[in-house]
Structure formats: structure tokens, C-alpha cells
Amino acid sequence: MTKKSKLKLGNGNRCERLHALAISETGFIFDPQTGQSFTVNQTGLFVLNGFKKGKDSETVSHDLADACSVPIELAQSSVEAFILQLERYL
Amino acid sequence: MTKLLWEPPFIQPHRLGEINKFGRMKARDNYVEHVFGVPVALLKEEFGSPCFVTSEIHFRNNLRNLKKAFERRYGDVIHGWSYKTNYISAMCNIAHQEGCYAEVVSAFEYEKARKLGVPGKKIIFNGPNKGKDILERAINDGAHIHLDHLDELNLVSKIASRLNKIVEVSLRLNFDTGFTEPWSRFGFNIESGQARQATRLLAASKNLKLSGLHSHIGTFILEPKAYIQQVRIMCKFMREIEASHDIEIDTIDIGGGLPSKNALQSIYLPPEQVIPPLSEYADAICNTLIEETNYRNQLKRKKPTLIFESGRAAVDDTQALIVSVVGNKRLPDGKRAAILDAGTNLLFTAYWYNHQVQMTRPADGPLADTALYGPLCMNIDVVRSSIQLPPLEYGDTLVINPVGAYNNTQWMQFIEYRPNVVLVHEDNTYSVIREREDLEVMCQQDRLPEHLKIAFSTTEAKK
Ligand SMILES: Cc1ncc(COP(=O)(O)O)c(C=O)c1O
């Protein structure tokens, strides 16, 4: 499976996992399934909240590029890397 | 909508014990805009980054406080400025203007002291490698030679005999105080009888006269009691040899070793909480020396002059290093990392200190565990392996301190040019006291044999 297909969060399980996460405004995350907690930075929080709202990675990348005034390519590649991290932990 | 500050999105798992007292606290107010009264931005603009900044008034005050602490308690005291701790010419001359002798340990340091105008009589010549020529010069200059080993004793004796002189010498001793790892590779050991043997040879020598005892029990000594033991052992040895030979000891040199306000990596508590005040050391040393030499009053003999050779305690907190962030990274384990334009090439002391690192602007994000790396292509080039810092940006200026001891001497000419060293004068004006290196400096000792003068032939170069 390529990164792209996962980026779209077509995987229902993962979507559920994301919804189950308790995410605080400051970026503190608790995964009730494993008891593991995490910290995300502000941009990570932005991306996670986008996913929770059901947006796909393309849309989230565009939103992020807008919110931070950075080139879309930078936002896209960073979101891809972020998803790789999520896959490691969730 | 308020703009979101760009940083690549990142998630980091918490590990047990990682959530600490800093929590996710903001550190907006923990920054400095000045070093030693001069705006950091101004210094960086004028002298570049990295750049060492030193305070004349701080150094003078430290030297005065040290001298006063011993003088008030004991009287006859000499401070030998330990050149190896910082031998930038201006720093040495500040020390000499404050009355310090030069404490040197090599031909280079000896020649430097003489070049700066220090008379031989005000030079204490230590170290295990004093060559024949420099010893001859030191003897002719009347410098205080501290013998380190038997071969040196014989060499000095031969030179003195050839010059038809009687040379006063001191013996460097080593012994176990029970507090510090004995520096037993320097000088003559008391417990094994080596020191006695050397004394016997000196007592029998026509050209050498033993008049001083010296020892240096280590560095960054956190226990004042170690000095009590040191002085006791030295004085006991002094009385024994004075009783059994025709010897009179005029100087007791206790070396250096007083700690500075820096954070040793092995110690968790901040320096303010672990480092005893100077007064405790001065009490320990002077009270013991007074006690142990009281017998001389009855004999109407002068007490020995106390020599101390404090290096880091005098100079460490008189210097800061201005550095810049040249890159940010996330390590695979999620930890933040930044690359600085100065590493262990300039901060040799980063190998054993957790140097304080301060921002020069308000933080705009929460603190996080961060590693600070230097610019060298070496894995061990680590300025701080773990420090709580807010997000850093490319070009950010940081101030690292205290860095005044041993860095301007042990820095390496490896990969990078060594930077400007600036001195802030007493009137708050400032000047460069050591120019940054350039290509010419880096290459000036290179010699190209005729057949290697050309790297590429003209035809090849065009390809
Ligand atoms: C003989 C001698 N004197 C003085 C010093 C200065 O020591 P410190 O900086 O610990 O005071 C040293 C340091 O190694 C030394 O070897």
C-alpha cells in the first residue's frame, strides 16, 4: 500500500481510532485503546483536527498551507511525514 | 484568523518519567538581550556569529575576591594565573595588572609570559615537559621551577652546574587526600617514598636548593575538606624534611581546583546549590595552614608564602559565547534538535558541563526537550544532549555561558575558523582581543613542496 492511499484515510479502522482519541487544545493526546499519551505540536493538532472532521489529506494540506502561509508542496510533504508517524503510534 | 506558526506537524509519544516539572510551560520571559551590558544583537552584527564575549570588570572582581579571601585570612599570598585556563594576551595582562604571577606549564606558555613582560621572578614554571633550552632560560630569568620528575631534577641540576648557579626549586608532590582521585602522574609521590628520595637528592645537591612545595589535587573540587587534608599532608611532609635535612621551605603552593558556577553533567542539582562559597575554601585552607605552621612563631621563623593557582574559579563566569541556529531537525525518536554554528570545536567544556543556553527573544511556543548540536561532522559534537527550549528558528541567536575557562585554550582548529573574542572594557566600550581566523591564518603554517604547488594542471583544470 502506498502512503497516498492511507493519506486519504480510506482505512475505516484508522478513522475510528482517530475519533476515539482525546485531544486537548494544547496538543495533549490520550489514546484510550492503549493508554498511551502523546504530545502534538500546533500544526500537528491542526492536521489531526482536520482528519477528525473527515477531511482528506489533500484538503488538510491545503488548509495547513493557507494557515501557515507556506508553499503547498511543503505542507503536503510534511503531512505525509506526519501520517507515517501516526501509523507508527496508532 | 490568527496565523499558525509554521513547524512541520509532529506527534511524540510520552515515555514514563518524561513529563517533568516544566510541563508545557511557556518560557516567554526567560531570555537575555544583553551580555555584560552590551546588546547581543549589536555584538553579533559587529563581530559575527559565533563570538566569545568577555567581561573585564567581572574578571578583575573575581581575581580581587579570590586574593582578598586568602589575604584576609593568611596574609602573605600569591595568585599564580594559570595560563592554560585562558591565555589570551589581554586576559593574562588583566591578571598581571591585578598582581598575579604567571603559572605556566610549557615552553610556549613560558615564552608567552615573558613576551607579555612578566619578569622571570614572577613566573611559576610547572608541567611535566620542560625542555633543556627553556629550563636554561627560566634559570637565567630566576623563574620558580617546580620539579615534576627525577629526570627533570637531574637536568636542572646539570644546567645549574654548567651555569655555575645555585637554583631554588620547588617539588611537586602527589598524595591521596581521600577526597579526590589522586593526580599521581604529576610530581613525586609521598606515600611511596619518591618525594623523600627527591628531597634527599636535593639536600645533597650543590646547585639546587629546595625552597618550596607544590601540589594540585584536582579540578572542580566540591569538598573544601579536601584542601584541609592537602594542606595537612603537605605541612607534615614539610616538617619532616626540615627536621631531617638542612632545608627551609618558603612557599606552599596548593595549586588550583576551586569550582566555578557551572553545571557538571554528573550532578543533578543546579550549581548554586552544590558549590560551597569561596569563604569555606579560604577558611579550610588558611586555618589549616595557620595551625600547621604555628610552630614557626616559636622559632621566630617566617611562615611560608601561600601560593594558589585558581583558574576556572577566576575566569569561567567572565565569558559567554554568542551562537546562531543554522538548522532545525526532528530526531527519529521525536526529539527536537537544532544545529548551531559552534560546537565542541569551540566549547571543549561541553563534554563535561551542561552549559546554560539562553534565548535572546521571547519564546513563541512551549518548551520541549531539545538537543543542541555543533557544526562538526562528528557524532560527539553535542553542545547539550537535552535541554528544555522553545521552538527555535533559523538564524535565532542564543547565548551560552559560562564558558570562560579552558575554551579559549582547548578549542580546536578543526573544520571551522575560530571566531572573534571580544572584551567588554570597564567603561562598557568593547574591542576584539583575539581576531577571528581566516584562510590565511589557517594555511600560514602549510608548506608546499615544489612538485605539489599545483593541484590541477591547466589542461586538466579546464576539463
Ligand atoms: C598545576 C595546575 N595549577 C592550576 C590549575 C588550574 O586549575 P583550576 O582551573 O581547577 O583552578 C591546573 C589545572 O589543571 C593545574 O594543573
Side-chain angles (χ1 to χ4, degrees), chain B residues 76-357:
Chain B
D76 189 10
V77 173
I78 291 168
H79 183 182
W81 173 241
S82 156
Y83 264 42
K84 70 181 110 27
T85 312
N86 191 318
Y87 47 56
I88 290 189
S89 302
M91 299 300 279
C92 292
N93 276 357
I94 292 173
H96 297 318
Q97 285 182 4
E98 292 296 330
C100 292
Y101 283 29
E103 188 267 319
V104 303
V105 292
S106 67
F108 153 63
E109 287 191 354
Y110 186 91
E111 285 169 357
K112 179 150 192 177
R114 293 293 287 125
K115 185 163 186 245
L116 288 173
V118 182
K121 286 190 169 32
K122 296 204 168 187
I123 299 180
I124 298 159
F125 198 178
N126 281 322
N129 175 29
K130 311 178 190 81
K132 192 156 57 75
D133 294 346
I134 201 68
L135 274 173
E136 182 161 339
R137 181 171 178 191
I139 289 168
N140 279 323
D141 291 346
H144 303 266
I145 297 168
H146 288 191
L147 298 175
D148 185 80
H149 49 78
L150 276 180
D151 287 322
E152 190 174 86
L153 187 155
N154 290 331
L155 183 57
V156 175
S157 175
K158 260 191 222 148
I159 299 170
S161 153
R162 181 163 47 79
L163 298 176
N164 205 16
K165 279 182 185 259
I166 294 175
V167 177
E168 287 199 20
V169 293
S170 294
L171 265 194
R172 176 152 178 179
L173 304 171
N174 71 68
F175 44 83
D176 188 4
T177 61
F179 286 94
T180 53
E181 189 69 26
W183 281 31
S184 45
R185 48 167 291 193
F186 301 106
F188 299 86
N189 181 258
I190 291 188
E191 292 93 349
S192 70
Q194 276 172 7
R196 284 301 204 122
Q197 182 200 359
T199 308
R200 237 174 280 127
L201 290 171
L202 290 171
S205 164
K206 285 201 236 38
N207 298 97
L208 303 181
K209 182 167 174 272
L210 177 60
S211 65
L213 297 178
H214 171 225
S215 71
H216 171 79
I217 56 171
T219 193
F220 217 103
I221 290 162
L222 288 168
E223 182 50 82
K225 285 194 199 121
Y227 285 99
I228 296 184
Q229 272 308 94
Q230 178 195 21
V231 173
R232 278 210 184 119
I233 293 168
M234 290 179 79
C235 286
K236 180 165 175 273
F237 183 76
M238 173 174 75
R239 289 187 72 161
E240 282 171 11
I241 61 170
E242 284 188 341
S244 50
H245 300 284
D246 181 20
I247 282 172
E248 287 199 11
I249 297 299
D250 302 327
T251 57
I252 295 270
D253 182 340
I254 57 159
L258 300 180
S260 60
K261 297 231 161 31
N262 225 322
L264 282 175
Q265 283 171 4
S266 53
I267 292 175
Y268 178 72
L269 288 168
E272 308 81 61
Q273 285 180 40
V274 284
I275 293 163
L278 175 59
S279 58
E280 280 188 33
Y281 291 93
D283 278 342
I285 293 161
C286 297
N287 293 347
T288 314
L289 192 54
I290 290 168
E291 249 169 60
E292 295 286 333
T293 56
N294 254 339
Y295 72 96
R296 288 202 176 184
N297 290 341
Q298 283 139 28
L299 303 174
K300 303 234 169 332
R301 273 183 61 200
K302 193 180 160 293
K303 283 182 184 259
T305 301
L306 169 63
I307 302 177
F308 69 100
E309 304 171 347
S310 257
R312 73 175 73 245
V315 78
D316 209 8
D317 67 358
T318 71
Q319 192 175 60
L321 177 65
I322 295 175
V323 300
S324 300
V325 174
V326 297
N328 277 298
K329 282 200 171 170
R330 279 285 179 179
L331 300 180
D333 67 355
K335 186 163 160 170
R336 264 192 205 146
I339 304 156
L340 309 178
D341 57 3
T344 52
N345 54 324
L346 302 185
L347 276 186
F348 194 78
T349 51
Y351 289 130
W352 61 82
Y353 284 149
N354 282 331
H355 286 293
Q356 174 179 257
V357 180

Side-chain angles (χ1 to χ4, degrees), chain A residues 26 28 36-41 43-44 64 66-70 74 78 82 85 88-89, chain B residues 1-15 19 24 330 332-334 336:
Chain A
T26 57
F28 185 85
Q36 172 74 56
S37 62
F38 305 86
T39 299
V40 279
N41 60 4
T43 45
L64 183 65
D66 282 350
C68 297
S69 307
V70 293
L74 178 60
S78 303
F82 184 59
Q85 294 166 32
R88 244 173 95 191
Y89 300 130
Chain B
M1 195 176 98
T2 53
K3 269 261 163 300
L4 189 58
L5 196 77
W6 172 251
E7 199 190 10
F10 205 86
I11 183 167
Q12 186 172 14
H14 294 155
R15 284 173 211 95
I19 300 174
R24 302 261 294 158
R330 279 285 179 179
D333 67 355
R336 264 192 205 146

